[in-house]
Amino acid sequence: MLQVGVNGYGTIGKRVADAVRAQPDMTIAGVTKTSPDFAAEGARTAGYPLYACDEESVDEFHAAGLAVDGTVGDMVDASDVVVDATPGGVGAEYRPLYEARDTPAVFQGAEAPDVAETSFNARANFDDARDADYVRVVSCNTTGLSRLLAPLAETYGIEKVRTTLVRRGGDPTQSDRGPINDILPDPVEVPSHHGPDVQTIFPDLSIDTLGLTVPATLMHLHSVNVTLESTPDSRDVCDLLDAESRLFVVPERSGIGSCGQLREYARDAGRPRGDVWENCVWGESITVEERDFYCFQAIHQEADVVPENVDALRAMFDMADAEESVARTNAALGLER
Amino acid sequence: MLQVGVNGYGTIGKRVADAVRAQPDMTIAGVTKTSPDFAAEGARTAGYPLYACDEESVDEFHAAGLAVDGTVGDMVDASDVVVDATPGGVGAEYRPLYEARDTPAVFQGAEAPDVAETSFNARANFDDARDADYVRVVSCNTTGLSRLLAPLAETYGIEKVRTTLVRRGGDPTQSDRGPINDILPDPVEVPSHHGPDVQTIFPDLSIDTLGLTVPATLMHLHSVNVTLESTPDSRDVCDLLDAESRLFVVPERSGIGSCGQLREYARDAGRPRGDVWENCVWGESITVEERDFYCFQAIHQEADVVPENVDALRAMFDMADAEESVARTNAALGLER
Amino acid sequence: MLQVGVNGYGTIGKRVADAVRAQPDMTIAGVTKTSPDFAAEGARTAGYPLYACDEESVDEFHAAGLAVDGTVGDMVDASDVVVDATPGGVGAEYRPLYEARDTPAVFQGAEAPDVAETSFNARANFDDARDADYVRVVSCNTTGLSRLLAPLAETYGIEKVRTTLVRRGGDPTQSDRGPINDILPDPVEVPSHHGPDVQTIFPDLSIDTLGLTVPATLMHLHSVNVTLESTPDSRDVCDLLDAESRLFVVPERSGIGSCGQLREYARDAGRPRGDVWENCVWGESITVEERDFYCFQAIHQEADVVPENVDALRAMFDMADAEESVARTNAALGLER
Amino acid sequence: MLQVGVNGYGTIGKRVADAVRAQPDMTIAGVTKTSPDFAAEGARTAGYPLYACDEESVDEFHAAGLAVDGTVGDMVDASDVVVDATPGGVGAEYRPLYEARDTPAVFQGAEAPDVAETSFNARANFDDARDADYVRVVSCNTTGLSRLLAPLAETYGIEKVRTTLVRRGGDPTQSDRGPINDILPDPVEVPSHHGPDVQTIFPDLSIDTLGLTVPATLMHLHSVNVTLESTPDSRDVCDLLDAESRLFVVPERSGIGSCGQLREYARDAGRPRGDVWENCVWGESITVEERDFYCFQAIHQEADVVPENVDALRAMFDMADAEESVARTNAALGLER
Ligand SMILES: NC(=O)c1ccc[n+]([C@@H]2O[C@H](COP(=O)([O-])OP(=O)(O)OC[C@H]3O[C@@H](n4cnc5c(N)ncnc54)[C@H](O)[C@@H]3O)[C@@H](O)[C@H]2O)c1
Ligand SMILES: NC(=O)c1ccc[n+]([C@@H]2O[C@H](COP(=O)([O-])OP(=O)(O)OC[C@H]3O[C@@H](n4cnc5c(N)ncnc54)[C@H](O)[C@@H]3O)[C@@H](O)[C@H]2O)c1
Ligand SMILES: NC(=O)c1ccc[n+]([C@@H]2O[C@H](COP(=O)([O-])OP(=O)(O)OC[C@H]3O[C@@H](n4cnc5c(N)ncnc54)[C@H](O)[C@@H]3O)[C@@H](O)[C@H]2O)c1
Ligand SMILES: NC(=O)c1ccc[n+]([C@@H]2O[C@H](COP(=O)([O-])OP(=O)(O)OC[C@H]3O[C@@H](n4cnc5c(N)ncnc54)[C@H](O)[C@@H]3O)[C@@H](O)[C@H]2O)c1
């Protein structure tokens, strides 16, 4: 059993912890929290060994009646590998600590690519992470694009990608984030930084992205255009995408026409936290006009990178090949339709 | 085992179905759907016998590859009792069908009170529903107020209630509901109809309510004032409320300051659909100034009436007394802290 | 002086009325209202002859103490031409009435194109409306795209347009419209109907559009891609667009990064109702990568069609050529920077 | 002519500047800006002498092609009095500079009360500011409450005020403010700090307030309860409030049911920036039950303090008594119905 520590038990960290625990070949060595709030209590209830982020906060935990098993360093010592899910930039500051204790680590998408040896997406470049000590799982948006582009590139060839990313303003708990009644070009500059991030997975891809932010919290929505190198039939592309295990092609008869309904679908299915780990591609939107492929896809920002973190761990420790790892992760999570 | 049919498998209906199934003494005889959309598929996956709402839609279900076991009438025949969770006003139209088949029924809060023999809240007037054939579980807002007012009335006496109900504009799936960027007096007339609805539970209560609607989907938020007949200490009132099983007094150390965080707390706890069945009363807001009690409470509109529906069934069939029923419902749902 | 009647004094109608009255060569013969609400009072205060939409409502107006000068038919009789700004589809129902009274009319974008002899945009096809009796000013989104595409097509040639329209859910007064916390593919089908509408102005244009709806009321935001037939420098394209009188190229130094700030800019400038009649194209977003032009533009849906209605009137009555009409309209409105 | 300098030409500052300029007995000596953005350009276009906030930024202004007439100190020297509309807390830091130059000043509501000799509301305590050198105009919410409570207190006597303030999350330009989809108790503690702020105007008033924040930008909405010392008829109270020049009792026949429509009403009336300087009290909501008065009022946070700033200046320089000053301010602004 691979002993996994999670540094930063926030939106991503707690989901990764639960997903790791659900696997047959790995388990949670501990998780860190900065303060003894409701999420710390949740970690305790979930039965995870709990560590404070530093000595000062240990006292805070004790004052709140929450026992901790030490601080970050202790957790790293107890772990074979760390999943770092601290806020963007903090992961890079932690890397020396991980190195000093000879512990490999997985970082998240808000870190700069050079925090790690390679950026990672299970569908697109699993093997690049094999035996690597430091791996970065790309952001929710880049993960979503990578899963969609990989089969298109393999089957039809891609000449150029042009995509508008309509991003949620914040996660549901982030009540201090806006905008309230606005649509923001974000960034105003075109093309946005998202394209280069996709190129950490597909180095030779020609891609231009435009980013917007809107007052919503449920999911990102991508308006995708891909100029292909061939002219497939819309229906064939639909079948191709439908065959991908982490793409959910939303059928017309489902009556699902909004992000709210997608999340409800996941809640009805009993998914933990109502999470949608897959890209949701509206079947009716999949269109090919000459060589131009179009679609809308919704990405649950809190969830889609979660199975990718699990797969990254298997790649780093050579515990399975891509196909086997993805199948094992999916089965353990119940990511099937 | 009490055989329960659910007519109207929507936001409330599907939650009631799951809650009924979780009980040791009742089970689901079937649920009805008007069209074969994702929720119908969800009902099938959940293993509920599925009925169409009429003959015409049967064909639609077959065309969509979803087998149905008949129509509403067939489901009523298979049931000892029906929980009617159709949209407001539709329940009243169904009552003759239930009567014709000699089947008792529970209605929801958007029906007029006279749809049933009594309105119901488990904490406040369980016994009124004993042996009744037609019972109406009051609305999410009235349920929330009843649970809070019952212990205050019993312990301190209530002179007058004045409450502002800041209501969510729609549920998360209702993307056609607004407002987008507005605060609406709703209704503009003061006092609002919510007070008289509370009086269906507490006939002699003096209560004035004011209703507002805002652009949010997660929970309602009540700004409560109760002039008591005595002058208790704030801390004692806090303890009184904390002892109620369906009131969650949110502790300061939890760091929970928003509806988003309350729902996250429920998600972290593994609650189905992230549901919060309890009123959430912020501990820091509980204040008594002379005889004026104040607090803020958040009400998860999709969820708080769910355990009440279960208890109403037990009252109607005399399966337990109030205390025993509430304890049994809570235990089956995991409604404990 | 051209006598102009406005049928449907709503969001668009009242703005067109004010714009017409500001012109040196036309005036308002009257406006119609369906009920004596605050907007009717506003029309009276503004000094416009007020007409009820039918006989029944005349009494309502009198009861409210608002005198009316007759009904729609009377207003048409008093007018040389009618601007029909009734809700989509209602205009078509009115066309027989206008015809019966031999009165030309301008319709709005929600009508089907065949309501009129030609669709109209002042920048792109002014001459098509010359001497026409029935003209349709295209929708806010199509107007915005037409103004941007016309100079690009003339100067660089257009191979293909691909545009994502991120649309506001409703106008600020439409509190019954959603979504509240969602991003909707709208329509789900790709390409959307917006492209064919642009082709009513540019019949030979190759254009694919995708439509989304988000919880905002201030402006639409377009994420535009145009594959050109040549490879101009970004800076030259910026200058080209900047020279267009109804394109406002938002300069970087302005610090304007949101729709809210664009509307504030208009309010600070003393624009009536804080209206932004021009497309707002962010200068920093104007980019050419090989032959791919990109930009973000914001469109004030309540306002951009207003000057176009004025120009359509001049075209129909041959009161000026395109250049002269646009200049006259702009000068009268203060549409200059 | 009183020479007025405005330090901090933001949301409040620019409106106060325009309002001052509209008066017959005062004029603008200059305004300050921290950076040469669109608002600075607006100040220049409006013809106001423009000052930078410090030496460093002077260069920034020059680089942007905007001439400035000096820095804050220079503006103070050119002024008889300063209206300080800098962000909360900054005003207090500026007070020594104003004192050093022997220049009286008006501060805004986010400053602590002790920044000034008295807090101010034109309707309630005009005379307290007579001949004072430092005066603080209370916040938008306190201004709104003061205008409503003054006539009630004078005419009926007030036993106790209980009010829920449903506050907008941010102004329309503040795209970095949330919440997006939440309702926040803000502060969670009850009663909130708003009550004591009202007591800076009515020292002996018994008042408990509760504060909430919601995802809207247009106006605050107050749910008001006042226990009176007598039992007037609802209609009489309605007439009493209607007679107040800065209370707009929204009539039922207007059809105005939302903040969006209130702002539209102001836009239709040609108000600068669509500003609503008055409290908007819904007529249908004005109710008296025994001694309990209730109503809903909407407060345009960007605008209601503007006429109060003008009146504060007149009080400080003894230029008129309360009645005369308010009449003069209202007439100059067009604040009449
Ligand atoms: N939320 C998303 O939508 C999303 C999606 C994909 C990737 N990510 C990435 O995941 C990472 C984490 O984001 P998140 O949304 O989970 O953030 P979060 O704020 O929800 O969680 C971060 C956690 O790290 C903790 N933390 C902060 N400083 C720390 C320190 N010095 N030591 C230890 N713990 C510390 C915080 O207390 C918190 O629990 C970021 O790189 C982010 O870009 C986020
Ligand atoms: N959603 C809430 O916040 C909430 C809270 C408390 C109580 N309620 C009450 O619960 C009831 C149901 O509300 P909801 O929110 O679940 O609505 P919903 O629209 O989510 O569900 C209603 C269901 O009834 C079905 N239905 C419609 N017409 C029908 C018919 N003729 N025959 C059979 N089924 C039919 C619909 O298809 C849908 O599945 C209402 O009385 C409502 O006031 C709702
Ligand atoms: N609002 C926008 O964003 C926008 C932008 C561009 C074009 N348009 C188009 O302008 C037209 C009007 O839209 P709007 O937004 O101004 O709508 P609106 O609802 O604000 O105004 C329509 C007006 O017509 C009146 N009306 C309704 N039925 C009538 C009848 N039978 N006879 C006479 N008057 C009647 C209504 O009372 C209202 O005053 C539509 O075609 C719309 O598509 C709207
Ligand atoms: N916006 C409202 O709703 C509202 C309502 C009533 C009262 N107020 C009060 O008015 C005051 C100003 O608020 P606002 O909303 O206008 O804020 P704002 O941010 O819109 O404007 C503040 C202005 O001050 C400038 N500024 C910042 N630091 C400065 C400095 N050191 N020197 C000179 N100028 C500086 C800013 O550039 C900006 O132009 C606050 O006290 C606020 O509480 C605001």
Side-chain angles (χ1 to χ4, degrees):
Chain A
M1 291 290 260
L2 187 73
Q3 297 290 329
V4 182
V6 173
N7 192 17
Y9 188 77
T11 300
I12 298 301
K14 63 185 161 191
R15 286 171 166 86
V16 170
D18 291 356
V20 162
R21 178 156 67 172
Q23 306 301 316
D25 49 359
M26 45 185 83
T27 190
I28 290 297
V31 305
T32 68
K33 275 290 308 167
T34 51
S35 69
D37 63 6
F38 73 93
E41 202 188 303
R44 258 280 168 256
T45 312
Y48 296 132
L50 184 61
Y51 294 84
C53 80
D54 52 30
E55 286 300 337
E56 289 88 73
S57 50
V58 167
D59 298 335
E60 255 192 86
F61 280 83
H62 285 157
L66 273 179
V68 291
D69 297 315
T71 60
V72 178
D74 301 316
M75 186 196 71
V76 176
D77 288 341
S79 306
D80 298 325
V81 59
V82 171
V83 174
D84 182 299
T86 58
V90 177
E93 289 170 22
Y94 268 114
R95 182 169 158 165
L97 186 149
Y98 306 145
E99 285 183 293
R101 285 158 203 255
D102 245 339
T103 309
V106 176
F107 296 95
Q108 306 306 317
E111 300 300 321
D114 65 9
V115 77
E117 296 156 50
T118 184
S119 289
F120 177 83
N121 174 261
R123 174 64 181 78
N125 72 340
F126 186 95
D127 288 340
D128 290 0
R130 286 206 147 165
D131 300 317
D133 282 338
Y134 298 100
V135 170
R136 169 182 169 264
V137 170
V138 288
S139 75
C140 43
N141 280 309
T142 302
T143 296
L145 288 173
S146 298
R147 289 175 178 170
L148 179 70
L149 297 176
L152 293 176
E154 288 167 14
T155 311
Y156 308 118
I158 292 181
E159 186 177 300
K160 175 140 203 172
V161 179
R162 301 174 191 84
T163 293
T164 298
L165 309 174
V166 182
R167 296 148 69 197
R168 60 85 182 105
D171 294 334
T173 54
Q174 296 178 308
S175 57
D176 58 338
R177 293 183 63 160
I180 292 181
N181 182 40
D182 216 326
I183 308 175
L184 308 177
D186 184 14
V188 175
E189 295 78 27
V190 177
S192 74
H193 55 274
H194 301 95
D197 201 48
V198 175
Q199 288 164 337
T200 66
I201 302 294
F202 303 91
D204 301 325
L205 188 72
S206 172
I207 177 169
D208 291 333
T209 53
L210 299 94
L212 296 169
T213 299
V214 302
T217 66
L218 300 176
M219 300 179 99
H220 298 300
L221 209 138
H222 295 175
S223 171
V224 180
N225 166 243
V226 181
T227 305
L228 303 171
E229 288 172 345
S230 48
T231 59
D233 187 77
S234 298
R235 196 167 302 244
D236 292 340
V237 180
C238 199
D239 291 343
L240 176 79
L241 300 181
D242 207 22
E244 294 283 317
S245 70
R246 291 185 186 163
L247 297 185
F248 168 34
V249 176
V250 184
E252 184 171 355
R253 67 176 157 70
S254 69
I256 296 176
S258 67
C259 298
Q261 289 172 320
L262 282 169
R263 297 293 305 276
E264 181 82 353
Y265 177 81
R267 271 196 295 263
D268 285 359
R271 292 276 185 92
R273 296 187 171 85
D275 278 355
V276 184
W277 296 298
E278 311 93 318
N279 293 20
C280 300
V281 185
W282 271 276
E284 291 161 276
S285 76
I286 296 173
T287 308
V288 185
E289 306 256 323
E290 295 181 29
R291 292 192 295 122
D292 272 315
F293 162 89
Y294 295 99
C295 77
F296 287 121
Q297 70 173 358
I299 300 294
H300 183 194
Q301 77 279 357
E302 300 168 302
D304 75 330
V305 299
V306 172
E308 308 296 326
N309 272 273
V310 172
D311 294 324
L313 293 170
R314 284 211 193 84
M316 291 163 71
F317 288 85
D318 221 349
M319 295 162 72
D321 65 12
E323 197 182 347
E324 168 58 21
S325 177
V326 167
R328 212 183 290 169
T329 304
N330 291 358
L333 292 179
L335 194 167
E336 281 135 355
R337 266 174 315 275
Chain B
M1 292 288 261
L2 187 73
Q3 298 290 329
V4 182
V6 174
N7 191 17
Y9 188 77
T11 300
I12 298 301
K14 63 186 162 192
R15 285 170 167 86
V16 170
D18 291 356
V20 162
R21 177 156 67 172
Q23 306 301 315
D25 50 359
M26 45 185 82
T27 190
I28 289 297
V31 304
T32 68
K33 274 289 309 169
T34 51
S35 68
D37 64 4
F38 74 94
E41 203 188 304
R44 259 278 168 257
T45 312
Y48 296 131
L50 184 62
Y51 294 83
C53 79
D54 51 31
E55 286 298 338
E56 290 88 73
S57 51
V58 168
D59 299 334
E60 255 192 87
F61 279 83
H62 286 157
L66 272 180
V68 290
D69 297 315
T71 61
V72 178
D74 301 316
M75 187 196 71
V76 177
D77 289 339
S79 306
D80 298 324
V81 58
V82 171
V83 174
D84 182 299
T86 58
V90 177
E93 292 172 20
Y94 268 114
R95 182 169 157 164
L97 185 150
Y98 306 145
E99 284 183 293
R101 287 162 200 251
D102 244 340
T103 309
V106 177
F107 297 95
Q108 307 305 316
E111 300 301 320
D114 65 10
V115 78
E117 296 155 50
T118 184
S119 289
F120 178 83
N121 173 260
R123 174 65 181 79
N125 73 339
F126 186 94
D127 289 339
D128 291 359
R130 285 206 149 166
D131 299 318
D133 283 337
Y134 298 100
V135 171
R136 168 181 169 264
V137 171
V138 288
S139 75
C140 43
N141 280 308
T142 302
T143 296
L145 287 173
S146 299
R147 289 175 179 170
L148 179 70
L149 296 176
L152 294 176
E154 289 166 14
T155 311
Y156 307 118
I158 291 182
E159 185 177 302
K160 175 142 203 171
V161 180
R162 300 174 192 84
T163 293
T164 298
L165 308 174
V166 183
R167 297 148 69 198
R168 60 83 182 106
D171 294 333
T173 54
Q174 296 178 306
S175 56
D176 56 339
R177 292 183 63 162
I180 292 181
N181 182 42
D182 216 326
I183 308 175
L184 308 177
D186 182 15
V188 175
E189 295 78 26
V190 176
S192 72
H193 55 273
H194 301 95
D197 201 48
V198 175
Q199 288 164 336
T200 66
I201 302 294
F202 303 90
D204 302 324
L205 187 72
S206 171
I207 177 168
D208 291 332
T209 53
L210 299 95
L212 295 169
T213 299
V214 301
T217 65
L218 300 177
M219 301 180 101
H220 299 300
L221 210 138
H222 295 175
S223 172
V224 180
N225 166 243
V226 181
T227 305
L228 303 170
E229 288 174 343
S230 49
T231 59
D233 188 75
S234 298
R235 197 166 303 243
D236 292 339
V237 181
C238 199
D239 291 344
L240 175 79
L241 300 182
D242 208 22
E244 294 283 318
S245 70
R246 292 185 186 164
L247 297 185
F248 168 34
V249 176
V250 184
E252 184 172 355
R253 68 178 153 68
S254 70
I256 295 177
S258 68
C259 298
Q261 287 171 321
L262 282 170
R263 298 292 306 275
E264 182 82 353
Y265 177 80
R267 272 196 294 263
D268 285 0
R271 291 277 185 92
R273 294 188 172 85
D275 278 355
V276 183
W277 296 298
E278 310 93 319
N279 293 20
C280 300
V281 185
W282 271 275
E284 290 162 275
S285 75
I286 296 172
T287 308
V288 185
E289 306 255 323
E290 294 179 31
R291 293 193 292 123
D292 273 314
F293 162 87
Y294 295 99
C295 77
F296 287 122
Q297 69 173 359
I299 300 294
H300 183 192
Q301 77 279 358
E302 301 168 303
D304 75 331
V305 298
V306 171
E308 308 296 327
N309 272 274
V310 171
D311 293 323
L313 293 170
R314 284 212 193 83
M316 292 163 72
F317 289 84
D318 221 349
M319 295 162 72
D321 65 13
E323 196 182 346
E324 166 60 20
S325 176
V326 167
R328 211 182 290 168
T329 304
N330 290 358
L333 293 178
L335 194 167
E336 281 135 352
R337 266 174 315 278
Chain C
M1 291 291 260
L2 187 73
Q3 297 289 330
V4 182
V6 174
N7 191 18
Y9 188 76
T11 301
I12 298 300
K14 63 186 161 190
R15 286 171 166 86
V16 170
D18 291 356
V20 161
R21 178 156 69 172
Q23 306 301 315
D25 48 0
M26 45 185 82
T27 190
I28 290 296
V31 305
T32 69
K33 274 289 308 168
T34 50
S35 68
D37 63 6
F38 74 93
E41 202 187 304
R44 259 281 168 258
T45 312
Y48 296 131
L50 184 63
Y51 294 84
C53 80
D54 52 32
E55 285 300 337
E56 290 88 74
S57 51
V58 166
D59 298 335
E60 253 192 88
F61 279 83
H62 286 157
L66 272 179
V68 290
D69 296 316
T71 61
V72 178
D74 301 317
M75 186 196 72
V76 177
D77 289 340
S79 306
D80 298 324
V81 59
V82 171
V83 174
D84 182 298
T86 60
V90 177
E93 290 170 21
Y94 268 114
R95 182 168 159 168
L97 186 149
Y98 306 144
E99 284 183 292
R101 286 161 202 252
D102 245 339
T103 309
V106 176
F107 296 94
Q108 306 305 316
E111 300 300 321
D114 64 10
V115 77
E117 297 156 50
T118 184
S119 288
F120 177 83
N121 174 261
R123 175 63 180 79
N125 73 340
F126 186 95
D127 289 339
D128 291 359
R130 286 205 147 168
D131 299 318
D133 282 338
Y134 297 100
V135 170
R136 169 181 169 263
V137 170
V138 287
S139 75
C140 43
N141 280 308
T142 302
T143 296
L145 287 173
S146 298
R147 288 174 179 170
L148 179 69
L149 297 176
L152 293 176
E154 289 166 15
T155 312
Y156 307 119
I158 292 181
E159 185 178 300
K160 174 141 203 172
V161 179
R162 301 174 191 84
T163 292
T164 298
L165 309 174
V166 183
R167 296 148 69 197
R168 60 84 182 104
D171 294 333
T173 54
Q174 296 178 309
S175 56
D176 57 339
R177 292 182 64 160
I180 292 180
N181 182 40
D182 216 326
I183 309 176
L184 309 176
D186 185 14
V188 175
E189 295 78 26
V190 177
S192 73
H193 54 274
H194 302 94
D197 201 48
V198 176
Q199 288 164 337
T200 66
I201 302 294
F202 303 90
D204 302 325
L205 188 72
S206 171
I207 177 168
D208 292 332
T209 53
L210 298 95
L212 295 169
T213 300
V214 302
T217 66
L218 300 176
M219 300 180 100
H220 299 299
L221 209 138
H222 295 174
S223 172
V224 180
N225 166 242
V226 181
T227 305
L228 303 171
E229 288 173 342
S230 49
T231 59
D233 188 76
S234 298
R235 196 166 302 244
D236 292 340
V237 180
C238 199
D239 291 344
L240 176 79
L241 300 181
D242 208 22
E244 294 284 317
S245 70
R246 291 184 186 165
L247 298 184
F248 168 33
V249 176
V250 184
E252 185 171 355
R253 69 177 155 68
S254 70
I256 295 176
S258 68
C259 298
Q261 288 172 319
L262 282 170
R263 297 293 305 277
E264 182 82 353
Y265 178 81
R267 273 196 294 264
D268 285 359
R271 291 277 185 93
R273 296 186 171 86
D275 279 354
V276 183
W277 297 297
E278 311 93 318
N279 293 21
C280 299
V281 185
W282 270 276
E284 290 162 275
S285 75
I286 295 173
T287 308
V288 186
E289 304 257 322
E290 294 179 29
R291 291 192 295 124
D292 272 315
F293 163 88
Y294 295 100
C295 77
F296 286 121
Q297 69 173 358
I299 301 294
H300 183 193
Q301 77 278 358
E302 301 169 301
D304 75 329
V305 299
V306 171
E308 308 296 325
N309 272 274
V310 171
D311 293 323
L313 294 170
R314 284 211 193 84
M316 290 162 73
F317 289 84
D318 222 349
M319 295 161 73
D321 65 14
E323 196 182 348
E324 167 58 21
S325 176
V326 167
R328 213 181 288 170
T329 304
N330 291 358
L333 292 178
L335 195 167
E336 281 136 352
R337 266 172 316 275
Chain D
M1 292 290 262
L2 187 74
Q3 298 289 329
V4 182
V6 173
N7 191 17
Y9 188 77
T11 299
I12 299 300
K14 62 187 162 190
R15 285 170 166 86
V16 170
D18 291 357
V20 162
R21 177 156 67 173
Q23 306 301 315
D25 49 359
M26 45 185 81
T27 190
I28 290 296
V31 304
T32 69
K33 275 287 310 167
T34 51
S35 68
D37 63 6
F38 74 94
E41 202 188 304
R44 258 281 168 258
T45 312
Y48 297 132
L50 183 63
Y51 294 82
C53 79
D54 51 30
E55 286 299 338
E56 291 87 73
S57 51
V58 166
D59 298 334
E60 254 192 87
F61 279 83
H62 286 157
L66 273 179
V68 290
D69 296 315
T71 61
V72 178
D74 301 316
M75 186 196 71
V76 177
D77 288 339
S79 306
D80 298 324
V81 58
V82 171
V83 174
D84 181 298
T86 60
V90 178
E93 290 171 22
Y94 269 114
R95 182 169 157 166
L97 185 149
Y98 307 145
E99 285 184 292
R101 286 162 200 250
D102 244 338
T103 310
V106 176
F107 297 95
Q108 307 304 317
E111 300 299 321
D114 66 9
V115 77
E117 296 155 51
T118 184
S119 288
F120 177 84
N121 172 260
R123 174 63 181 79
N125 73 340
F126 186 94
D127 288 340
D128 290 358
R130 284 207 150 163
D131 300 318
D133 282 338
Y134 297 100
V135 171
R136 169 182 169 264
V137 171
V138 288
S139 75
C140 43
N141 280 308
T142 303
T143 296
L145 287 173
S146 299
R147 288 175 179 170
L148 179 70
L149 296 176
L152 294 175
E154 290 166 14
T155 312
Y156 308 117
I158 292 182
E159 184 178 302
K160 174 141 202 171
V161 180
R162 300 172 192 85
T163 293
T164 298
L165 309 174
V166 182
R167 296 148 69 198
R168 59 83 181 109
D171 294 333
T173 54
Q174 295 178 307
S175 56
D176 58 338
R177 293 183 63 161
I180 292 181
N181 183 41
D182 217 325
I183 308 176
L184 309 176
D186 183 14
V188 175
E189 295 78 27
V190 177
S192 73
H193 55 272
H194 302 94
D197 201 48
V198 175
Q199 289 164 336
T200 66
I201 302 294
F202 303 90
D204 301 325
L205 188 71
S206 172
I207 177 168
D208 292 331
T209 53
L210 298 93
L212 296 169
T213 300
V214 301
T217 65
L218 300 177
M219 300 179 100
H220 298 300
L221 209 137
H222 295 174
S223 171
V224 180
N225 166 243
V226 181
T227 305
L228 302 170
E229 289 173 342
S230 49
T231 59
D233 187 77
S234 298
R235 197 167 303 243
D236 291 341
V237 181
C238 199
D239 291 344
L240 175 80
L241 301 181
D242 207 24
E244 293 284 316
S245 71
R246 290 184 188 166
L247 297 185
F248 168 34
V249 177
V250 183
E252 185 172 354
R253 68 176 155 69
S254 70
I256 295 177
S258 68
C259 298
Q261 288 171 320
L262 282 169
R263 298 292 306 275
E264 182 82 353
Y265 177 80
R267 272 197 294 263
D268 285 0
R271 291 277 185 91
R273 294 187 173 86
D275 278 355
V276 183
W277 296 298
E278 310 94 319
N279 293 21
C280 300
V281 185
W282 271 276
E284 291 162 275
S285 75
I286 296 172
T287 308
V288 185
E289 306 256 323
E290 296 180 28
R291 292 192 293 122
D292 272 315
F293 162 88
Y294 294 100
C295 77
F296 288 121
Q297 69 173 359
I299 300 294
H300 183 192
Q301 77 279 358
E302 301 168 302
D304 75 330
V305 298
V306 172
E308 309 296 326
N309 272 274
V310 171
D311 293 324
L313 293 170
R314 284 212 193 83
M316 291 163 71
F317 288 85
D318 222 349
M319 295 163 72
D321 64 14
E323 195 181 348
E324 166 60 19
S325 178
V326 167
R328 210 182 290 169
T329 303
N330 290 357
L333 292 179
L335 195 168
E336 282 135 352
R337 267 174 314 278

